[in-house]
Amino acid sequence: MNNKQESVSSLQLASLLLTFATGSSIIFIPGQMTNAAKNGAWISILISYLMGAIILAALIYLYKRAPELSWVEFMRKTVGNWITTLLLIPFIIVLFWQLAAIVIEIGGFFKSTMMKDTPNSIIQGLFFLTAALTARAGIEVMSRMFTMLLVFMYVFVVFVLLLASPLFHGEYLLPVMPEGFKPILYGAYISYGFPYAEIALFSLLLPFTRKKESGRLTKYLQLALFINCLTLILSILCTIMVLGPMSGHLNYSLFQLARLISIQDILERVESVIGFSLIIGVYMKAAIVLFMMTTVLSDWFKIKDNRFLTYPVALIGLLLSLSMYPNEITYFVDGYTMWGLIDHTAYVMPLVIVFIVALFKRKKAAQ
Amino acid sequence: MIAKVSMLLAAIAIMLLSDKSALSKADKHARIIYAILMLPVLYLGILFVTEVRWPNLDELLRYLFSGPAQAIISNLNEAP
C-alpha cells in the first residue's frame, strides 16, 4: 500500500463511511424513493440497508484476513494478477462515472434552484478543484475535517426537520403499501445502488485504519451504517408527512420541504440551510471518491505516492461531468434505472468473487 | 467556444504547474502513467470544446446496462 505513514482511527473511518453514505443521499433519496415505493419507501431503505450491512461485514472479514495489504494487493494475492486486472478495469471505469455523476448532481441542483445563470463548467470546475485539493491533502486531513462538517450537516438537517414539524400530517403515512410489495422492491433496488452497494468501495480505505484499533472496527462501521439508515428513514418519513403524495414528484424534496417553513414571519427561507448541507455532503463525497480513485490507480500501477495522480484524475472527472449528459433528465433516468445494476456489477461482484476465493483458499489451507 | 478552450487550457496549465516538481522527481514509470491519463483528458477536452457527439462513458454504460436494468424495473413495476 502506498502512503503507509497515513492512518486513521476506527472512529474516523466510521465517520468517513457515514459521510460517504449520507452525504448526497439525504437530499436526493427521499424524493426518488417516494416516487418509486410511495409510502413504503422506508421499508425499501430497511431492505437495502440489510444488503449494505452484509457487504460491510464481508469487507471487514476480508480486511482482517490481511490488514497490512491494500485492496489491490489483497486481490492480487487471492485471485492472481490477470483476474485482478479484469476486475479492476470495470471497477475504475464505473468509479470515473460515479465521480463525474456526483458533481453533475450538484451542478443540476445549483442550476435549478440557486444559480440559474451560472455556467455548469464554473460550478463543477470549482467543485472539482476543491475536491482535488482536499483529496490531495490525504485521508488524515479528510477524516478530521469531514467529522466536523458532518456534524454541521446533521445539525442543519435536524434543525430543518424540527422546524417543519408543525407541518407534519401523520395520516399521509398511510396506507403503507398502496400498490403492493413490488414498488417497495423497486425502491430497494434504487437505494441499494445509491448508497448501499457503494459501500463496497470502502475496501480501498480499510487498510488505512490503525492496526491496533482494528478490533473496534466492526462495531463502529456497522453503527455508522445504522445511523445512516435511520437518517434516511427519518428524512423520508418527514418528507412524506409534509408533502404527502407530492413528495415523489419533487426533486430535492428535503429542499422543497424547507421552503415551506415559515414561523411567525420571522423564520423563513431556511432552504438555504439544506442547500449548505447538500453542498457539504456532495463536496465530501466527491473528495472521498477522488481519493479512492487515486488510491486504486496508484496501487494498480504501483506508484509510490497516490497524491501524484490526483489532478489528472480530477480533470478527467471534470471533463466527463461536462461532456457526458446533454440534459439533466437523461442523467436522472440513467442514474435511477441503471445505477443499482452498474455498481452491483462493478463494485460488489469483485468483492463477492474475492470473498468466495478467499474462503475456498482458507478451507484448503486448513485441510 | 473561446471561453471553453481558455478554461480547458487554464486547467491543464494549472495542473502541470502544480505537478511540476512531483513530475520532475517521479520515476519514468509514474510519468508514463501520468501521460497515459492525459489521453482521456485530450479526448474529453475535444468533446467538451466542440460539443461533438462522439462516444462517451455514459453511452458505453447505457449500451451495456440499459437493457437488463429496464427489464428489472419493468418487472418490479408490473401491476400485481
Side-chain angles (χ1 to χ4, degrees):
Chain A
M1 189 177 71
N2 304 313
N3 286 6
K4 272 190 193 284
Q5 72 280 8
E6 278 209 293
S7 63
V8 291
S9 69
S10 310
L11 198 59
Q12 284 175 322
L13 196 77
S15 125
L16 278 179
L17 175 66
L18 185 56
T19 306
F20 179 77
T22 317
S24 51
S25 61
I26 195 165
I27 310 291
F28 294 106
I29 277 290
Q32 292 300 325
M33 293 293 292
T34 42
N35 185 30
K38 310 290 181 289
N39 288 355
W42 61 275
I43 304 174
S44 307
I45 291 283
L46 277 179
I47 296 170
S48 51
Y49 158 72
L50 286 176
M51 304 284 284
I54 294 168
I55 292 171
L56 187 59
L59 281 185
I60 297 169
Y61 169 80
L62 291 178
Y63 164 70
K64 287 188 173 174
R65 293 281 308 272
E68 71 288 355
L69 296 180
S70 73
W71 176 239
V72 175
E73 286 166 345
F74 185 77
M75 281 172 89
R76 281 197 182 114
K77 194 183 154 199
T78 314
V79 294
N81 253 331
W82 282 103
I83 296 177
T84 301
T85 305
L86 280 177
L87 296 176
L88 281 180
I89 291 170
F91 185 92
I92 287 168
I93 289 174
V94 171
L95 201 52
F96 263 119
W97 184 90
Q98 189 183 354
L99 179 63
I102 293 167
V103 181
I104 292 174
E105 277 173 351
I106 192 74
F109 173 76
F110 272 114
K111 286 291 275 185
S112 60
T113 55
M114 291 176 176
M115 299 161 78
K116 293 178 182 173
D117 297 323
T118 309
N120 266 338
S121 52
I122 301 296
I123 298 168
Q124 294 173 6
L126 288 173
F127 253 89
F128 267 108
L129 177 65
T130 325
L133 290 170
T134 312
R136 212 171 146 105
I139 192 167
E140 287 179 6
V141 174
M142 281 198 306
S143 59
R144 275 185 241 130
M145 188 169 75
F146 289 175
T147 305
M148 190 184 70
L149 290 177
L150 185 70
V151 171
F152 276 127
M153 195 181 87
Y154 263 88
V155 168
F156 289 156
V157 170
V158 171
F159 172 70
V160 166
L161 294 182
L162 283 177
L163 287 181
S165 58
L167 305 170
F168 287 171
H169 295 272
E171 67 274 16
Y172 287 166
L173 293 172
L174 296 171
V176 177
M177 289 190 267
E179 292 169 25
F181 199 67
K182 274 194 172 179
I184 289 172
L185 290 178
Y186 178 30
Y189 169 78
I190 293 175
S191 54
Y192 170 71
F194 173 56
Y196 292 110
E198 294 173 0
I199 287 164
L201 290 173
F202 257 69
S203 52
L204 298 166
L205 299 191
L206 283 172
F208 288 97
T209 320
R210 275 179 213 128
K211 305 298 171 271
K212 60 179 180 183
E213 290 191 25
S214 60
R216 280 171 285 180
L217 197 64
T218 309
K219 191 172 75 180
Y220 286 150
L221 290 181
Q222 290 290 0
L223 181 67
L225 198 63
F226 183 66
I227 294 172
N228 160 267
C229 168
L230 285 185
T231 313
L232 292 184
I233 287 177
L234 188 69
S235 47
I236 284 172
L237 291 178
C238 292
T239 309
I240 295 173
M241 281 196 287
V242 175
L243 300 169
M246 276 295 290
S247 54
H249 301 285
L250 298 169
N251 273 340
Y252 325 113
S253 52
L254 212 57
F255 185 80
Q256 308 296 350
L257 180 151
R259 272 187 166 160
L260 300 174
I261 294 170
S262 170
I263 296 174
Q264 301 291 325
D265 295 335
I266 301 168
L267 210 55
E268 288 183 326
R269 308 283 307 175
V270 287
E271 68 268 22
S272 52
V273 170
I274 287 292
F276 288 144
S277 301
L278 177 66
I279 294 163
I280 293 171
V282 169
Y283 150 67
M284 292 190 290
K285 187 161 181 180
I288 294 171
V289 171
L290 189 53
F291 183 82
M292 288 168 165
M293 189 80 196
T294 54
T295 302
V296 69
L297 284 172
S298 307
D299 286 343
W300 190 24
F301 295 118
K302 296 176 182 165
I303 293 172
K304 284 172 200 149
D305 184 2
N306 64 357
R307 296 169 201 202
F308 181 65
L309 299 176
T310 308
Y311 291 145
V313 168
L315 189 55
I316 294 172
L318 171 64
L319 291 169
L320 275 173
S321 73
L322 293 171
S323 63
M324 272 200 307
Y325 286 100
N327 57 61
E328 211 183 321
I329 296 167
T330 330
Y331 165 73
F332 274 111
V333 169
D334 275 10
Y336 291 106
T337 53
M338 301 190 310
W339 185 232
L341 186 64
I342 293 174
D343 63 0
H344 180 78
T345 312
Y347 299 161
V348 181
M349 285 316 287
L351 174 72
V352 172
I353 292 168
V354 173
F355 185 79
I356 292 169
V357 175
L359 273 184
F360 182 72
K361 280 191 167 177
R362 192 179 182 179
K363 272 189 181 172
K364 211 174 168 185
Q367 282 168 1
Chain B
M1 190 170 175
I2 293 169
K4 284 183 173 180
V5 173
S6 314
M7 187 199 145
L8 183 62
L9 291 178
I12 294 173
I14 291 168
M15 181 187 77
L16 291 174
L17 278 174
S18 310
D19 284 339
K20 196 179 160 192
S21 85
L23 275 167
S24 61
K25 284 176 203 160
D27 56 19
K28 195 180 165 189
H29 170 73
R31 276 189 228 167
I32 290 171
I33 301 298
Y34 195 97
I36 289 171
L37 285 177
M38 287 295 105
L39 297 176
V41 168
L42 190 69
Y43 179 75
L44 293 166
I46 294 170
L47 296 193
F48 168 61
V49 170
T50 60
E51 293 180 17
V52 286
R53 297 305 304 159
W54 288 353
N56 206 336
L57 193 52
D58 57 330
E59 284 156 86
L60 173 72
L61 293 180
R62 213 172 296 131
Y63 174 74
L64 293 172
F65 292 99
S66 174
Q70 287 296 347
I72 292 171
I73 285 171
S74 37
N75 188 266
L76 293 176
N77 275 335
E78 268 173 17

